[in-house]
Amino acid sequence: MKINQNYLNVGESYLFSTISTRIGAYLEQNPGADIIRMGIGDVTLPLCPAVTKALHAAVDEMGEKTTFRGYGPEQGYGFLKEAVRDRYAQRGVELAPDEIFIGDGAKSDIANFLDILGTDNTVMVPDPVYPVYLDTNIMSGRKVLFAKGSESNSFLPMPDASIEADLIYLCSPNNPTGSVYSHDQLKAWVDYATKRGGLILFDAAYECFVQDPSLPHSIFEIPGARSCAVEFCSFSKSAGFTGTRCSYTVVSDELEFGGVKLAKLWLRRQTTKFNGVPYIVQRGAAAVLSPEGQAQTKEQVAYYLNNAKTIRDTLRAKNVWFVGGENAPYIWMKCPDGMDSWQYFDLLLQKANLVGTPGAGFGPAGEGYFRLTAFGDKDRTREAMHRLEKL
Ligand code: PLP
């Protein structure tokens, strides 16, 4: 018996465990310190009433012989796929329900999609970015190149024709930087992928935060994307489903490589290896997309974006360089006085009892930067910014 040796090449997931170890050590020395956490990317507002009503109704259905459901379609129930299709149609993106696959989280689908792609593809991952793209490709032994973000490109790396990548990850709005690609910028990536016969894996998990009407929510708003891109999206951040779990992945019927349709392979993969999302959860997700659910979840997004504004206003007043926070729940700031990410982490923890996420945890290009999240409580975010201002 031999193990998958590639797993030995994956870096330890130190980031959040190191953060909690440092907080623990600080609290031991300073018991009762009032620490404000602006580090974790989880939501804090509860499910909205339209969703909990639909969940309760679905539970009752499951308790009645006439409405009980057993094994469901692994790719999702028609009612939810149609609701997702209608949501895309509102933005002028036409999809067929069979191009939409319901999943239990964008993380699982992003990771599992690699099952149907050759391990001899070269991968391009933005730096800094959500660490799952890199780790899952190391686990499967692919060669990974980095597209470097920096202040000069506002942490939105653009294609370089001299770099030969087959799988291209894009995350917009980006975690951790909160930067959002424009139509023109995404068009350049679509052109690059089309020319190379490559595939874009587009992560739209934070699309609900895009407020600027000139910015795209979906890669499918870009002409040509249907034949070179897959899109992953989630109810996690748009409707607080991080503990409920539901997402969707769009694989267009035009996506074909070597004469094989990716949608067909993905369906085969999912029907074999994935159990599907529970009926009750899918009813809750469909309620997110109802007019009532849309109005209620929009209010939640507005609440978080208001926190983001509190953070942005403070950083601007203090002349701190940052991006994000306008069309994303993340604010990516430069550590002051040339400090590295962990030095700044310690300073904030010790002098202001504030916790954020060191940028170095999202890739080497994140060193010297720091991520603050807007997912907290309004009053606590204000208090946090008073402390930062004072510091
Ligand atoms: N994609 C990005 C960029 C994320 O930041 C996250 C979670 O934080 C996910 C995907 C995972 O989403 P889900 O909760 O749907 O698995």
PDB file of all heavy atoms in Angstrom, residues 158-173:
ATOM      1  N   MET A 158      -2.958  40.172 -14.611  1.00  0.00           N
ATOM      2  CA  MET A 158      -3.474  40.040 -15.984  1.00  0.00           C
ATOM      3  C   MET A 158      -2.657  38.986 -16.736  1.00  0.00           C
ATOM      4  O   MET A 158      -1.546  38.663 -16.338  1.00  0.00           O
ATOM      5  CB  MET A 158      -3.399  41.397 -16.691  1.00  0.00           C
ATOM      6  CG  MET A 158      -4.324  42.456 -16.103  1.00  0.00           C
ATOM      7  SD  MET A 158      -6.052  41.948 -16.111  1.00  0.00           S
ATOM      8  CE  MET A 158      -6.372  41.848 -17.860  1.00  0.00           C
ATOM      9  N   PRO A 159      -3.222  38.440 -17.832  1.00  0.00           N
ATOM     10  CA  PRO A 159      -2.512  37.367 -18.529  1.00  0.00           C
ATOM     11  C   PRO A 159      -1.211  37.836 -19.168  1.00  0.00           C
ATOM     12  O   PRO A 159      -1.087  38.993 -19.571  1.00  0.00           O
ATOM     13  CB  PRO A 159      -3.509  36.916 -19.601  1.00  0.00           C
ATOM     14  CG  PRO A 159      -4.548  37.957 -19.685  1.00  0.00           C
ATOM     15  CD  PRO A 159      -4.532  38.719 -18.417  1.00  0.00           C
ATOM     16  N   ASP A 160      -0.274  36.896 -19.234  1.00  0.00           N
ATOM     17  CA  ASP A 160       1.015  37.143 -19.862  1.00  0.00           C
ATOM     18  C   ASP A 160       1.140  36.067 -20.947  1.00  0.00           C
ATOM     19  O   ASP A 160       1.194  34.869 -20.635  1.00  0.00           O
ATOM     20  CB  ASP A 160       2.099  36.995 -18.776  1.00  0.00           C
ATOM     21  CG  ASP A 160       3.505  37.076 -19.343  1.00  0.00           C
ATOM     22  OD1 ASP A 160       3.654  36.973 -20.576  1.00  0.00           O
ATOM     23  OD2 ASP A 160       4.445  37.221 -18.543  1.00  0.00           O
ATOM     24  N   ALA A 161       1.146  36.526 -22.204  1.00  0.00           N
ATOM     25  CA  ALA A 161       1.096  35.576 -23.330  1.00  0.00           C
ATOM     26  C   ALA A 161       2.273  34.611 -23.322  1.00  0.00           C
ATOM     27  O   ALA A 161       2.195  33.516 -23.893  1.00  0.00           O
ATOM     28  CB  ALA A 161       1.050  36.348 -24.641  1.00  0.00           C
ATOM     29  N   SER A 162       3.369  34.987 -22.639  1.00  0.00           N
ATOM     30  CA  SER A 162       4.544  34.107 -22.656  1.00  0.00           C
ATOM     31  C   SER A 162       4.408  32.968 -21.630  1.00  0.00           C
ATOM     32  O   SER A 162       5.217  32.051 -21.597  1.00  0.00           O
ATOM     33  CB  SER A 162       5.805  34.923 -22.359  1.00  0.00           C
ATOM     34  OG  SER A 162       5.757  35.382 -21.032  1.00  0.00           O
ATOM     35  N   ILE A 163       3.387  33.044 -20.778  1.00  0.00           N
ATOM     36  CA  ILE A 163       3.203  31.980 -19.771  1.00  0.00           C
ATOM     37  C   ILE A 163       2.166  30.981 -20.273  1.00  0.00           C
ATOM     38  O   ILE A 163       1.074  31.354 -20.702  1.00  0.00           O
ATOM     39  CB  ILE A 163       2.787  32.586 -18.414  1.00  0.00           C
ATOM     40  CG1 ILE A 163       3.969  33.398 -17.872  1.00  0.00           C
ATOM     41  CG2 ILE A 163       2.384  31.498 -17.419  1.00  0.00           C
ATOM     42  CD1 ILE A 163       3.725  34.052 -16.558  1.00  0.00           C
ATOM     43  N   GLU A 164       2.555  29.710 -20.228  1.00  0.00           N
ATOM     44  CA  GLU A 164       1.695  28.681 -20.812  1.00  0.00           C
ATOM     45  C   GLU A 164       0.950  27.932 -19.718  1.00  0.00           C
ATOM     46  O   GLU A 164       1.468  27.013 -19.095  1.00  0.00           O
ATOM     47  CB  GLU A 164       2.541  27.740 -21.656  1.00  0.00           C
ATOM     48  CG  GLU A 164       3.329  28.508 -22.717  1.00  0.00           C
ATOM     49  CD  GLU A 164       3.838  27.629 -23.826  1.00  0.00           C
ATOM     50  OE1 GLU A 164       3.953  26.410 -23.611  1.00  0.00           O
ATOM     51  OE2 GLU A 164       4.117  28.186 -24.910  1.00  0.00           O
ATOM     52  N   ALA A 165      -0.289  28.358 -19.490  1.00  0.00           N
ATOM     53  CA  ALA A 165      -1.118  27.692 -18.476  1.00  0.00           C
ATOM     54  C   ALA A 165      -2.343  27.088 -19.146  1.00  0.00           C
ATOM     55  O   ALA A 165      -2.892  27.653 -20.088  1.00  0.00           O
ATOM     56  CB  ALA A 165      -1.524  28.693 -17.409  1.00  0.00           C
ATOM     57  N   ASP A 166      -2.770  25.923 -18.633  1.00  0.00           N
ATOM     58  CA  ASP A 166      -3.950  25.248 -19.189  1.00  0.00           C
ATOM     59  C   ASP A 166      -5.182  25.452 -18.310  1.00  0.00           C
ATOM     60  O   ASP A 166      -6.292  25.556 -18.803  1.00  0.00           O
ATOM     61  CB  ASP A 166      -3.672  23.739 -19.297  1.00  0.00           C
ATOM     62  CG  ASP A 166      -2.373  23.456 -20.029  1.00  0.00           C
ATOM     63  OD1 ASP A 166      -2.232  23.957 -21.156  1.00  0.00           O
ATOM     64  OD2 ASP A 166      -1.502  22.761 -19.470  1.00  0.00           O
ATOM     65  N   LEU A 167      -4.961  25.495 -17.004  1.00  0.00           N
ATOM     66  CA  LEU A 167      -6.058  25.731 -16.055  1.00  0.00           C
ATOM     67  C   LEU A 167      -5.784  27.057 -15.378  1.00  0.00           C
ATOM     68  O   LEU A 167      -4.712  27.243 -14.793  1.00  0.00           O
ATOM     69  CB  LEU A 167      -6.114  24.647 -14.977  1.00  0.00           C
ATOM     70  CG  LEU A 167      -6.275  23.208 -15.432  1.00  0.00           C
ATOM     71  CD1 LEU A 167      -6.304  22.277 -14.217  1.00  0.00           C
ATOM     72  CD2 LEU A 167      -7.564  23.066 -16.207  1.00  0.00           C
ATOM     73  N   ILE A 168      -6.753  27.970 -15.480  1.00  0.00           N
ATOM     74  CA  ILE A 168      -6.521  29.323 -14.973  1.00  0.00           C
ATOM     75  C   ILE A 168      -7.577  29.644 -13.917  1.00  0.00           C
ATOM     76  O   ILE A 168      -8.774  29.678 -14.218  1.00  0.00           O
ATOM     77  CB  ILE A 168      -6.616  30.345 -16.134  1.00  0.00           C
ATOM     78  CG1 ILE A 168      -5.596  29.989 -17.197  1.00  0.00           C
ATOM     79  CG2 ILE A 168      -6.446  31.766 -15.630  1.00  0.00           C
ATOM     80  CD1 ILE A 168      -6.181  29.849 -18.572  1.00  0.00           C
ATOM     81  N   TYR A 169      -7.136  29.857 -12.699  1.00  0.00           N
ATOM     82  CA  TYR A 169      -8.074  30.210 -11.625  1.00  0.00           C
ATOM     83  C   TYR A 169      -8.225  31.724 -11.557  1.00  0.00           C
ATOM     84  O   TYR A 169      -7.235  32.451 -11.569  1.00  0.00           O
ATOM     85  CB  TYR A 169      -7.552  29.722 -10.270  1.00  0.00           C
ATOM     86  CG  TYR A 169      -7.704  28.239 -10.088  1.00  0.00           C
ATOM     87  CD1 TYR A 169      -6.748  27.356 -10.580  1.00  0.00           C
ATOM     88  CD2 TYR A 169      -8.813  27.713  -9.447  1.00  0.00           C
ATOM     89  CE1 TYR A 169      -6.887  25.989 -10.435  1.00  0.00           C
ATOM     90  CE2 TYR A 169      -8.967  26.338  -9.291  1.00  0.00           C
ATOM     91  CZ  TYR A 169      -8.001  25.492  -9.787  1.00  0.00           C
ATOM     92  OH  TYR A 169      -8.152  24.131  -9.643  1.00  0.00           O
ATOM     93  N   LEU A 170      -9.471  32.167 -11.483  1.00  0.00           N
ATOM     94  CA  LEU A 170      -9.743  33.591 -11.254  1.00  0.00           C
ATOM     95  C   LEU A 170     -10.769  33.684 -10.137  1.00  0.00           C
ATOM     96  O   LEU A 170     -11.712  32.878 -10.087  1.00  0.00           O
ATOM     97  CB  LEU A 170     -10.291  34.254 -12.521  1.00  0.00           C
ATOM     98  CG  LEU A 170      -9.371  34.302 -13.748  1.00  0.00           C
ATOM     99  CD1 LEU A 170     -10.108  34.923 -14.930  1.00  0.00           C
ATOM    100  CD2 LEU A 170      -8.092  35.094 -13.449  1.00  0.00           C
ATOM    101  N   CYS A 171     -10.583  34.666  -9.260  1.00  0.00           N
ATOM    102  CA  CYS A 171     -11.495  34.847  -8.128  1.00  0.00           C
ATOM    103  C   CYS A 171     -11.881  36.318  -8.107  1.00  0.00           C
ATOM    104  O   CYS A 171     -11.046  37.173  -7.847  1.00  0.00           O
ATOM    105  CB  CYS A 171     -10.775  34.457  -6.839  1.00  0.00           C
ATOM    106  SG  CYS A 171     -11.779  34.596  -5.364  1.00  0.00           S
ATOM    107  N   SER A 172     -13.145  36.598  -8.410  1.00  0.00           N
ATOM    108  CA  SER A 172     -13.566  37.997  -8.489  1.00  0.00           C
ATOM    109  C   SER A 172     -15.033  38.121  -8.071  1.00  0.00           C
ATOM    110  O   SER A 172     -15.879  37.454  -8.669  1.00  0.00           O
ATOM    111  CB  SER A 172     -13.389  38.502  -9.928  1.00  0.00           C
ATOM    112  OG  SER A 172     -13.785  39.835 -10.054  1.00  0.00           O
ATOM    113  N   PRO A 173     -15.318  38.919  -7.029  1.00  0.00           N
ATOM    114  CA  PRO A 173     -14.431  39.635  -6.139  1.00  0.00           C
ATOM    115  C   PRO A 173     -13.466  38.676  -5.441  1.00  0.00           C
ATOM    116  O   PRO A 173     -13.839  37.577  -5.082  1.00  0.00           O
ATOM    117  CB  PRO A 173     -15.381  40.285  -5.134  1.00  0.00           C
ATOM    118  CG  PRO A 173     -16.711  40.334  -5.815  1.00  0.00           C
ATOM    119  CD  PRO A 173     -16.751  39.157  -6.705  1.00  0.00           C
TER     120      PRO A 173
END
